[in-house]
């Protein structure tokens, strides 16, 4: 009896998901969009912060360390809340966003997610630099390479290979973290779950499994891409 | 301070560094000053915006809110340690029917956003487990249960991988010697591998506490009354209670943020101290696991310090 009932429920769940597949895909697209933009911005910001942290100028090093220390120890939920309530108070409301079809909340979410992620990206890159033995650069300088050549031909190729695995887990964590944008009214996967569970609590399991699978596929894609890059770049050292 | 990128500076470079230091100090001060000015211009950091925090009654409530946060984080870390140990044992088992389910569970809960898990919990195990929240005096109890179970499942799965890495980091000679003495696998694990691995894993476990504490702020989203929720209540209600011209948003967030940062900095410092202490220890076969090896959020802190050579 119970079995037949749960069987009916499963069929109903699949039917329901099929009906709602457009909303689901919209959510998936929202998560992809948010992660992609925040991923690019956090990488740029992370590179800048990492450059500051390895620079010979103490003031920049301290500023970079402070940036990392701040975001590393603050909950992302607080960063989200901070951006979405403080920026409008100081008059940053992104009025131009509507014109290009973007939601203000989406921009706040991008800012919160990319500033937060940037500190982890910066730390990963910096530890990549630190993993290159000093002797490598000393040897490069000894054979007369300039700073640019040392960086381009000796340090970066080695640092990049060390940095890839931590960067991959960083981006995966960021995709999962983008779920918090749900609370701030950004249309994405978790928002789809939250909305549809409130309207149709009877299909709870189907909705959860579908959304979870969406995230799993996205994270698998990222790790597959990074594995491929790692294999392409692999050299014996 | 020769580094990979530059040699020890000579007199000329030192002059150049001094010049650029001056330029960057000015630039940084301008950026920070501009941000502070923007906030000050709206009267967000003027003296009356701080009046709520001169009230000792508010601090009493603030501390009890902080206590709610710590309750959720602590309970889930303790439960996650147990779950992690069970999952790691399954993952390291010789039996496929134990190894595969453990693998699937670990990978699933690591791949799914914690918030999704907590929201799902609100509709499933939140109500049945609400009695735990009631016993602890959390409000609302079902949100507390959903939060703690979500945090436990996620952190337990992450810790399971930490445990596995820790066990695998014990030099092979240790278990080979134990097997040669005729110990069974369980005895090797219990008497040889686990005691050494646990010490190596301690820094990574403490670092995971930082993650749990930060993630407990997700309780705010599902309505659990913790530190961040209380912060929102302060700035929403303060204007009326203390007769302020506007809600003290910035000052409140600064105070709440400072509390989180202070606790996490102490925890991170403790993890680093454990790591340094252990990499000096001669009793340890192998290097301590750094935060870097816990994967996910706690990325590469610093390059692993040179550990002592294994004594075998």
């Amino acid at each position: 009896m119970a079995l037949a009932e749960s069987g009916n429920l499963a069929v109903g769940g699949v039917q329901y998901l099929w009906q709602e597949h457009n909303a689901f895909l919209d959510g998936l697209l929202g998560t992809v969009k948010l992660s992609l933009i925040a991923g690019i911005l956090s990488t740029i910001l992370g590179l800048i912060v990492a450059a500051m942290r390895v620079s010979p100028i103490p003031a920049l090093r301290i500023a970079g360390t402070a940036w990392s220390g701040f975001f590393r120890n603050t909950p992302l939920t607080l960063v989200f809340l901070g951006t979405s309530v403080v920026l409008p108070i100081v008059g940053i409301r992104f009025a131009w966003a509507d014109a290009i079809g973007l939601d203000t909340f989406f921009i706040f979410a991008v800012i919160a997610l990319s500033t937060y992620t940037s500190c982890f990206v910066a730390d990963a890159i910096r530890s990549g630099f630190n993993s290159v033995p000093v002797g490598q650069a000393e040897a490069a300088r000894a054979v007369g390479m300039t700073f640019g050549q040392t960086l381009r031909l000796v340090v970066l190729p080695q640092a990049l290979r060390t940095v890839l695995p931590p960067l991959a887990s960083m981006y995966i964590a960021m995709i999962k973290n983008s779920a918090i944008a749900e609370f701030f009214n950004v249309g994405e996967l978790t928002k789809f779950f939250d909305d549809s569970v409130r309207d149709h609590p009877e299909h709870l399991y189907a909705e959860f499994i579908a959304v979870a699978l969406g995230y799993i596929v996205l994270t698998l894609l990222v790790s597959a891409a990074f594995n491929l890059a790692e294999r392409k770049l692999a050299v014996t050292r | 301070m020769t580094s990979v990128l530059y040699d020890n500076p000579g007199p000329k470079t030192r002059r150049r560094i001094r010049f650029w230091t001056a330029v960057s100090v000015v630039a940084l001060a301008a950026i920070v000053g501009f941000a502070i000015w923007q906030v000050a211009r709206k009267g967000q950091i003027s003296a009356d915006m701080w009046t709520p925090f001169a009230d000792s009654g508010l601090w009493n409530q603030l501390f009890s809110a902080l206590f709610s946060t710590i309750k959720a984080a602590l309970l889930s870390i303790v439960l996650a340690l147990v779950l992690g140990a069970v999952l790691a044992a399954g993952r390291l088992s010789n039996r496929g029917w134990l190894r595969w389910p453990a693998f699937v569970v670990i990978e699933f809960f690591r791949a799914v956003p914690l918030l999704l898990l907590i929201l799902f919990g609100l509709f499933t195990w939140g109500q049945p487990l609400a009695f735990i929240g009631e016993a602890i005096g959390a409000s609302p109890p079902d949100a507390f249960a959903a939060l703690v179970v979500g945090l436990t499942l996620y952190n337990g799965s992450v810790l399971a991988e930490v445990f596995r890495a820790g066990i695998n980091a014990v030099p092979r000679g240790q278990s080979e010697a134990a097997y040669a003495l005729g110990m069974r696998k369980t005895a090797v694990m219990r008497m040889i591998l686990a005691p050494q691995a646990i010490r190596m894993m301690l820094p990574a476990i403490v670092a995971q506490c930082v993650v749990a504490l930060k993630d407990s702020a997700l309780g705010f989203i599902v309505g659990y009354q913790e530190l961040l929720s209380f912060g929102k209540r302060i700035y929403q209600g303060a204007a009326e209670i203390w007769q302020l011209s506007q809600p003290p948003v910035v000052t409140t967030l600064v105070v709440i943020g400072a509390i989180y940062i202070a606790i996490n900095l102490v925890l991170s410092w403790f993890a680093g101290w454990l790591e340094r202490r252990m990499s000096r220890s001669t009793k340890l076969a192998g290097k301590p696991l750094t935060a870097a090896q816990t994967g996910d959020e706690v990325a590469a802190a610093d390059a692993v310090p040179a550990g002592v050579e294994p004594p075998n």
Side-chain angles (χ1 to χ4, degrees):
Chain A
M1 209 49 190
L3 196 68
E5 231 169 71
S6 61
N8 281 341
L9 211 59
V11 172
V14 172
Q15 275 169 349
Y16 167 77
L17 283 176
W18 180 246
Q19 263 169 38
E20 296 292 314
H21 72 278
N22 273 331
F24 175 79
L25 290 178
D26 279 348
L28 189 66
L29 192 69
T31 296
V32 170
K33 227 164 58 176
L34 183 58
S35 311
L36 215 57
I37 300 178
I40 294 168
L41 288 180
S42 65
T43 308
I44 297 172
L45 207 54
L47 276 170
I48 296 172
V49 176
M52 285 166 72
R53 292 197 66 177
V54 297
S55 82
I57 297 158
L60 291 182
R61 276 207 304 271
I62 292 169
T65 312
W67 177 274
S68 286
F70 176 77
F71 284 107
R72 176 175 280 284
N73 294 304
T74 311
L76 180 55
T77 321
L78 178 60
V79 179
F80 263 97
L81 188 66
T83 13
S84 59
V85 296
V86 174
L87 289 184
I89 288 177
V90 299
I92 304 175
R93 292 194 185 83
F94 298 105
W96 46 266
D98 278 339
I100 55 167
L102 278 182
D103 187 31
T104 320
F105 290 114
F106 181 80
I107 297 181
F108 288 149
V110 165
I111 293 175
L113 200 55
S114 43
T115 45
Y116 178 83
T117 311
S118 75
C119 91
F120 296 99
V121 172
D123 282 2
I125 294 172
R126 192 180 68 107
S127 72
F129 274 110
N130 287 343
S131 74
V132 180
V134 179
Q136 294 282 321
E138 282 175 339
R141 286 193 284 266
V143 296
M145 286 191 182
T146 62
F147 177 78
Q149 284 173 322
T150 312
L151 196 64
R152 205 174 64 243
L153 300 170
V154 179
V155 177
L156 277 184
Q158 299 189 54
L160 180 69
R161 288 175 171 84
T162 337
V163 142
L164 281 181
L167 269 190
S169 48
M170 214 93 306
Y171 292 126
I172 289 172
M174 191 197 65
I175 292 175
K176 295 190 296 168
N177 281 335
S178 74
I180 298 178
E182 178 261 352
F183 184 69
F184 300 90
N185 264 322
V186 176
E188 46 79 79
L189 265 181
T190 306
K191 180 103 172 76
F192 166 78
F193 174 76
D194 206 352
D195 289 348
S196 53
V197 123
R198 272 164 224 285
D199 293 343
H200 296 275
E202 71 275 16
H203 299 313
L204 172 70
Y205 291 93
E207 288 152 347
F208 175 69
I209 290 170
V211 171
L213 278 180
Y215 279 107
I216 290 173
V217 167
L218 290 182
T219 53
L220 283 182
L221 280 178
V222 171
S223 64
F226 271 85
N227 279 338
L228 191 72
E230 245 178 275
R231 234 174 313 135
K232 289 259 181 221
L233 289 171
V235 284
T236 11
R237 278 200 260 166
Chain B
M1 39 152 216
T2 302
S3 85
V4 187
L5 293 173
Y6 40 83
D7 270 322
N8 231 345
K12 216 175 182 179
T13 316
R14 271 205 295 275
R15 261 203 307 282
R16 218 180 307 150
I17 288 178
R18 266 203 296 279
F19 170 73
W20 285 109
T21 302
V23 171
S24 50
V25 165
V26 171
L28 289 171
I31 295 172
V32 174
F34 179 74
I36 293 177
W37 174 65
Q38 282 296 319
V39 177
R41 206 165 53 103
K42 304 285 176 185
Q44 273 289 327
I45 46 175
S46 54
D48 57 332
M49 289 291 128
W50 296 98
T51 43
F53 300 100
D55 189 327
S56 64
L58 180 120
W59 278 98
N60 282 340
Q61 281 180 289
L62 199 65
F63 277 123
S64 82
L66 172 63
F67 187 54
S68 303
T69 285
I70 292 175
K71 264 193 303 208
L74 202 65
L75 181 61
S76 27
I77 265 296
V78 171
L79 292 175
L81 283 171
V82 177
L83 178 68
V86 172
L87 286 174
R91 189 83 171 75
L92 287 164
S93 165
N94 284 335
R95 296 176 181 84
W97 58 270
L98 276 176
R99 208 168 49 234
W100 278 99
F103 171 76
V104 170
V105 167
I106 291 172
E107 293 306 318
F108 180 79
F109 288 119
R110 276 173 14 128
V112 168
L114 182 50
L115 178 59
L116 180 67
L117 221 52
I118 295 170
L119 285 173
F120 179 66
L122 211 51
F123 294 95
T124 48
W125 49 71
Q127 281 301 338
L129 294 179
F131 70 91
I132 301 171
E134 263 159 38
I136 283 178
S139 87
D142 60 329
F144 176 82
L147 176 67
V148 167
V149 173
L151 281 170
T152 302
L153 289 174
Y154 170 68
N155 288 306
S157 302
V158 173
L159 284 176
E161 286 297 277
V162 173
F163 292 163
R164 194 168 69 97
I167 296 284
N168 286 338
V170 178
R172 248 216 347 245
Q174 297 283 322
S175 52
E176 282 172 351
Y179 283 123
L181 290 175
M183 287 185 180
R184 302 273 177 96
K185 179 158 180 169
T186 322
V188 174
M189 184 65 82
R190 206 190 55 210
M191 297 167 68
I192 309 295
L193 296 178
Q196 301 189 59
I198 285 171
R199 299 189 55 191
M200 286 195 276
M201 289 177 310
L202 269 181
I205 292 172
V206 177
Q208 195 60 31
C209 292
V210 174
V211 177
L213 191 77
K214 281 167 66 181
D215 283 343
S216 72
L218 289 172
F220 165 73
I221 294 180
V222 292
Y224 174 51
Q225 294 301 317
E226 43 76 81
L227 189 55
L228 196 53
S229 320
F230 187 66
K232 190 172 183 182
R233 270 175 54 206
I234 296 179
Y235 72 69
Q236 281 180 337
E240 206 179 321
I241 299 171
W242 283 278
Q243 310 284 315
L244 302 176
S245 52
Q246 57 175 331
V249 177
V250 173
T251 42
T252 308
L253 291 181
V254 165
V255 170
I256 301 289
I259 295 174
Y260 275 112
I261 292 176
I263 297 174
N264 285 332
L265 278 181
V266 170
L267 279 175
S268 307
W269 172 83
F270 181 56
W273 178 81
L274 279 173
E275 201 179 302
R276 278 192 303 279
R277 207 182 113 98
M278 292 196 175
S279 57
R280 276 203 310 269
S281 160
T282 46
K283 285 181 197 149
L284 214 58
K287 296 171 184 176
L289 288 180
T290 53
Q293 278 134 311
T294 63
D296 266 36
E297 283 249 303
V298 222
D302 270 290
V304 188
V308 274
E309 283 304 306
N312 45 0

